[in-house]
Amino acid sequence: MSAPTPLNRFKKAMQIVYGPFESLNPDQLAHWNPPTNSGGHRGRYLWTDAFGVLNFLTLYKETSDAKYMILASGLINAVHTVLGSTRDGKSRLPGATHENPWGGGLRIGKMDEGGPDGDGQYHHYLTIWMFALNRMSVASGQVTYNDCAVATAKAVHPHFFDDIKSPTPRMYWKIAMDMSRPLVASEGNADALDGYVVFSLLAAVAKDLQCLAPEIADYQRVIDRKGQHVVSHDVLDLGMSLWLAHWGTAGDTSAHQLGTRCIELFDELFSTGSLEGNFLRRLAFRDFGAMLGLRCYRSVADQSQYESQIRQLLERWEQWMDSQPEDLQAINRPSERVTWGQSPERR
């Protein structure tokens, strides 16, 4: 019996979270609503589902099967319905209206309403969701998805800033569900760079190329204040920094410098065996995010020397994923399955 192909393994991982979509008939596909398996409140979790949309688009790109575009659209609608509403599902989030349903942002989807790990809005979750909408527009040719992302960007952007008109503004990492106050006053290491890159991608697809110019300028001031981007030993932050760097143009010196520093740190992690620790007590999706960033950056700067280490790490994680203790599976399993699917050559 031949070994499963990477594409079939990819589909299997996705169906663990989003159900047996390969066997849907046309009528079932037309009325498909994603199962509540994403590991979040009322079944949706913004980070996991953003990668879910990207994975469906990848399946569409790899197979040219239009059903994956339908599945991506259905998942987008479900996320906007659930995470764009209050936790009881009775109303839109404050700021959203019939005319602008994205005006209230999107909840994270945390299981707890309050507390140190309670629900709210994360800047880096929102930007990865905006990116998913942007890629949906690129893949489908329908600019309305990118318009949704732009509307969301404009709605949430000022609430993540402290003294936004200052020459040296600061950002908040997490804000309340209603965007009324910060919940974590510190800055995310990559949030300003993340916003600058993603908002630039949104503007490039929008009909009005200047539609997010003020917001992009705000991020630039934060980047200027902070100086050279700090390359973190946190593997997920490292991978996402490489993902951001890979969007730089050939002549973008700062992107090249960031990529070089990240690659140097990956050299250290691989050479010291830091990515070979106790898998039982690690979060798979963090390592997958690191490998995703490395492979994306490889698409613009040859890093083929890492391919054997990447494959070994992914294969070892595949063996370990079903062995994790129950207390980690509830939230980690959906995100790890979906981001594992992103790990093979995905941009």
Side-chain angles (χ1 to χ4, degrees), residues 141-159:
Q142 299 179 38
V143 74
T144 52
Y145 291 102
N146 194 73
D147 291 343
C148 295
V150 170
T152 303
K154 286 189 168 294
V156 304
H157 176 80
H159 301 281

Side-chain angles (χ1 to χ4, degrees), residues 26-300:
D27 184 65
Q28 291 171 325
L29 182 63
H31 297 91
W32 183 76
N33 197 40
T36 55
N37 294 340
S38 293
H41 181 251
R42 293 177 59 209
R44 303 266 62 86
Y45 196 72
L46 192 58
W47 176 270
T48 303
D49 287 333
F51 280 99
V53 170
L54 294 171
N55 285 355
F56 281 132
L57 296 180
T58 297
L59 286 169
Y60 172 71
K61 180 177 182 294
E62 295 293 321
T63 67
S64 299
D65 191 333
K67 75 178 179 183
Y68 298 117
M69 194 69 74
I70 296 172
L71 293 167
S73 177
L75 181 53
I76 289 170
N77 291 336
V79 167
H80 284 161
T81 297
V82 175
L83 299 182
S85 300
T86 54
R87 287 177 63 86
D88 60 13
K90 293 182 178 179
S91 63
R92 293 187 173 98
L93 290 175
T97 63
H98 178 72
E99 293 75 20
N100 181 17
W102 308 280
L106 293 165
R107 295 187 292 111
I108 300 165
K110 293 284 188 180
M111 295 301 292
D112 295 333
E113 182 171 1
D117 195 34
D119 216 348
Q121 299 199 31
Y122 280 148
H123 185 273
H124 61 297
Y125 280 26
L126 287 160
T127 50
I128 200 67
W129 181 253
M130 294 173 207
F131 174 73
L133 294 176
N134 172 267
R135 295 298 94 180
M136 182 68 174
S137 274
V138 172
S140 68
Q142 299 179 38
V143 74
T144 52
Y145 291 102
N146 194 73
D147 291 343
C148 295
V150 170
T152 303
K154 286 189 168 294
V156 304
H157 176 80
H159 301 281
F160 281 98
F161 278 76
D162 176 33
D163 196 9
I164 195 169
K165 299 300 182 183
S166 166
T168 56
R170 301 187 64 83
M171 292 183 65
Y172 303 126
W173 180 55
K174 180 182 181 182
I175 61 175
M177 286 180 280
D178 62 1
M179 304 192 293
S180 63
R181 67 191 190 284
L183 294 181
V184 179
S186 59
E187 285 185 315
N189 181 44
D191 278 359
L193 182 60
D194 192 17
Y196 181 91
V197 170
V198 172
F199 280 37
S200 296
L201 292 172
L202 301 185
V205 172
K207 295 176 182 178
D208 178 5
L209 296 178
Q210 298 300 311
C211 63
L212 289 170
E215 290 81 4
I216 292 170
D218 292 336
Y219 289 124
Q220 184 65 64
R221 294 202 308 281
V222 177
I223 293 169
D224 292 343
R225 173 183 60 77
K226 295 178 70 172
Q228 181 173 273
H229 179 74
V230 175
V231 176
S232 167
H233 279 73
D234 179 285
V235 291
L236 180 58
D237 189 77
L238 180 61
M240 296 308 289
S241 293
L242 264 184
W243 177 75
L244 293 169
H246 104 283
W247 288 104
T249 61
D252 190 335
T253 303
S254 60
H256 175 73
Q257 291 174 344
L258 173 58
T260 299
R261 297 200 309 277
C262 290
I263 292 299
E264 290 172 352
L265 192 46
F266 264 118
D267 282 336
E268 177 185 330
L269 293 173
F270 282 127
S271 64
T272 59
S274 299
L275 295 173
E276 299 175 5
N278 183 359
F279 282 17
L280 267 177
R281 289 294 174 181
R282 284 165 62 184
L283 297 175
F285 78 92
R286 302 187 71 81
D287 282 359
F288 295 163
M291 298 305 101
L292 173 64
L294 188 55
R295 276 181 161 168
C296 284
Y297 193 72
R298 190 191 67 185
S299 71
V300 296

